[in-house]
């Protein structure tokens, strides 16, 4: 287990961006970024994003342009009491669950490859750890992104066994110690 300050370097935005909760009024902007970030058979639907915004709002954060206020990327997840990451566990939000399943880490195409995604992920994990409820963070990623998530402190647990889209997913895990 790691404390947020042990696992994360300084949380300095790589661009003039602010990190804060995403409101339901930005659903269409969030969906546009999601749809542009994943193949059609992997992207969350507008309805799924709306459900996450309504049911799991404390776990839906975004990067906002400091001058225009426009949404430039987001990280969202839902909680479960299950230690296993299954499609069922990811399809609902259990507010009292201590396991957070990250669904999306996505950045507007014009802001990619500039450190925004890594900054958002580090900021998100710091927010989650500071809240003190979550003890484990799980996510699925493509095998080529394992090193990206490992740099944020996640460990690879191998093939997830989850079928979502055409290609396999790797299960990644991060244990949090919040005190």
């Amino acid at each position: 287990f790691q404390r947020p300050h042990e696992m994360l370097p300084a949380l300095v935005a790589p661009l003039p961006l602010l990190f804060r909760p995403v409101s339901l009024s930005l659903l269409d902007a969030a969906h546009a970024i999601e749809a542009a970030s994943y193949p059609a058979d992997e992207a969350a639907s507008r309805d799924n994003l709306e459900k996450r915004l309504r049911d799991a709002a404390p776990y839906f954060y975004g990067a906002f342009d400091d001058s225009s206020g426009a949404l430039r990327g987001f990280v969202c997840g839902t909680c479960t009491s299950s230690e296993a990451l299954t499609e069922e566990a990811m399809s609902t939000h259990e507010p009292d669950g201590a396991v957070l399943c990250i669904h999306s880490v996505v950045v507007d195409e014009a802001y990619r490859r500039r450190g925004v995604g890594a900054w958002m992920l580090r900021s998100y994990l710091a927010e989650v750890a500071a809240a003190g409820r979550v003890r484990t963070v799980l996510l699925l990623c493509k095998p080529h992104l394992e090193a990206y998530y490992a740099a944020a402190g996640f460990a690879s647990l191998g093939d997830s066994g989850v079928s979502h889209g055409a290609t396999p997913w790797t299960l990644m895990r991060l244990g949090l110690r919040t005190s």
Side-chain angles (χ1 to χ4, degrees):
F1 293 98
Q2 299 172 310
R3 288 192 169 100
H5 68 276
E6 294 170 337
M7 68 181 178
L8 306 172
L11 300 176
V12 177
L15 299 168
L17 297 169
L18 303 171
F19 192 71
R20 64 176 190 251
V22 175
S23 68
L24 188 57
S25 66
L26 294 170
L27 173 61
D28 289 332
H31 183 251
I33 295 170
E34 174 86 7
S37 299
Y38 290 106
D41 62 343
E42 296 174 4
S45 68
R46 186 181 186 283
D47 288 346
N48 282 344
L49 286 177
E50 181 176 8
K51 183 175 179 178
R52 292 175 197 157
L53 275 164
R54 288 188 189 280
D55 297 348
Y59 301 99
F60 207 124
Y61 274 79
F64 294 85
D65 186 289
D66 191 24
S67 59
S68 71
L71 182 66
R72 301 301 186 199
F74 66 88
V75 181
C76 69
T78 56
C79 289
T80 182
S81 56
S82 173
E83 291 288 336
L85 191 69
T86 63
E87 288 193 53
E88 182 180 336
M90 293 179 71
S91 66
T92 60
H93 175 64
E94 297 176 41
D96 295 327
V99 177
L100 174 64
C101 305
I102 293 180
H103 295 276
S104 297
V105 178
V106 292
V107 178
D108 181 284
E109 190 170 3
Y111 287 74
R112 291 183 192 156
R113 304 222 179 263
R114 298 165 83 183
V116 175
W119 168 74
M120 286 190 324
L121 182 59
R122 290 190 312 267
S123 298
Y124 185 80
L125 293 171
E127 291 286 340
V128 168
R133 176 176 299 278
V134 171
R135 71 175 188 281
T136 302
V137 182
L138 301 173
L139 62 80
L140 301 177
C141 72
K142 297 298 183 175
H144 72 277
L145 291 173
E146 286 182 48
Y148 177 83
Y149 290 106
F154 285 84
S156 174
L157 301 180
D159 184 76
S160 69
V162 173
S163 177
H164 181 73
T167 57
W169 294 85
T170 299
L171 177 60
M172 305 291 288
R173 181 185 186 282
L174 174 69
L176 296 179
R177 183 173 62 199
T178 57
S179 58

